[in-house]
């Protein structure tokens, strides 16, 4: 309502029951990607482009610094914390050029990741949801367990106003 721009419906987290139903119908690599994204709050593109070389594994909490990210043009650093649960899932993908590869060994693209989720939704008999919604799941959970400021930090928002949308 503030401009002539088309108002889009707000992105909401994936309903936990829908998420669980979908996971049962995904290939293991896609299911693992979903779980990692839900645990870390990273964007789908950051997840799909993840390489072992971009992850610092020297401390208890691993840090992923994407070589390419949304706010790079503003010269903002992006660090993604990878805790023990996500590390446990990610361990088996720390080889090759990209952590997540398709059946032919190519990097799984954001589009292929989304399409695989949609196929899983169809098989599960639930409404489609998109990978970006998992970022909202992470933000909601972090805010509920810790604080708005914690969610802002994890999502790398410069202002908590943006985080409140999540």
């Amino acid at each position: 309502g503030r401009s002539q721009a088309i108002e889009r419906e707000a992105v909401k987290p994936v309903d936990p029951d829908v998420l669980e139903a979908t996971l049962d119908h995904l290939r293991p690599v896609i299911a693992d990607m979903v779980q990692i994204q839900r645990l870390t709050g990273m964007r789908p593109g950051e997840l799909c482009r993840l390489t072992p070389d971009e992850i610092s594994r020297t401390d208890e909490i691993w840090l992923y610094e994407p070589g390419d990210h949304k706010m790079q043009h503003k010269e903002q650093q992006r660090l993604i914390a990878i805790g023990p649960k996500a590390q446990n899932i990610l361990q088996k993908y720390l080889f090759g050029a990209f952590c997540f590869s398709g059946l032919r060994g190519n990097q799984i693209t954001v589009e292929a990741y989304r399409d695989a989720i949609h196929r899983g939704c169809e098989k599960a008999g639930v409404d489609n949801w998109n990978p970006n919604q998992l970022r909202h799941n992470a933000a909601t959970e972090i805010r509920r367990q810790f604080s708005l400021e914690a969610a802002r930090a994890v999502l790398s928002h410069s202002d908590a106003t943006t985080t409140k949308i999540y």
Side-chain angles (χ1 to χ4, degrees):
R2 294 178 292 174
S3 71
Q4 297 297 320
I6 296 171
E7 292 284 337
R8 303 244 185 245
E9 194 173 311
V11 176
K12 302 220 183 287
V14 181
D15 177 276
D17 293 333
V18 170
L19 179 58
E20 289 305 317
T22 307
L23 283 171
D24 291 339
H25 297 279
L26 299 175
R27 288 186 305 131
V29 66
I30 301 296
D32 286 346
M33 290 172 73
V34 166
Q35 295 286 29
I36 291 168
Q37 191 183 359
R38 184 178 69 158
L39 290 166
T40 63
M42 67 177 85
R43 293 178 179 93
E46 294 167 337
L47 177 69
C48 290
R49 288 188 303 271
L50 178 63
T51 68
D53 294 344
E54 294 173 314
I55 304 169
S56 171
R57 293 177 268 168
T58 57
D59 294 317
E60 186 177 333
I61 302 297
W62 296 353
L63 293 176
Y64 164 37
E65 186 171 5
D68 181 31
H69 60 89
K70 182 179 176 180
M71 300 306 288
Q72 188 173 346
H73 68 282
K74 290 191 174 188
E75 297 183 19
Q76 290 182 1
Q77 184 181 31
R78 174 82 167 119
L79 285 176
I80 299 165
I82 303 173
K85 290 179 184 177
Q87 289 172 19
N88 191 42
I89 298 166
L90 190 56
Q91 290 275 10
K92 59 187 161 195
Y93 300 103
L94 297 175
F95 57 88
F98 292 96
C99 291
F100 304 108
S101 300
L103 296 174
R104 294 184 181 91
N106 299 328
Q107 171 194 358
I108 295 175
T109 64
V110 173
E111 294 79 15
Y113 177 44
R114 181 199 59 230
D115 291 348
I117 290 170
H118 288 183
R119 283 190 301 277
C121 291
E122 186 177 316
K123 288 177 185 174
V126 298
D127 289 337
N128 280 350
W129 52 268
N130 294 306
N132 256 343
Q133 290 179 258
L134 295 169
R135 192 164 155 80
H136 292 257
N137 285 72
T140 300
E141 184 62 23
I142 293 164
R143 187 173 178 183
R144 185 183 66 73
Q145 275 194 309
F146 301 102
S147 68
L148 174 65
E149 182 56 28
R152 185 205 63 76
V154 168
L155 299 180
S156 295
H157 291 152
S158 56
D159 190 310
T161 306
T162 305
T163 311
K164 288 179 184 178
I165 297 168
Y166 284 67

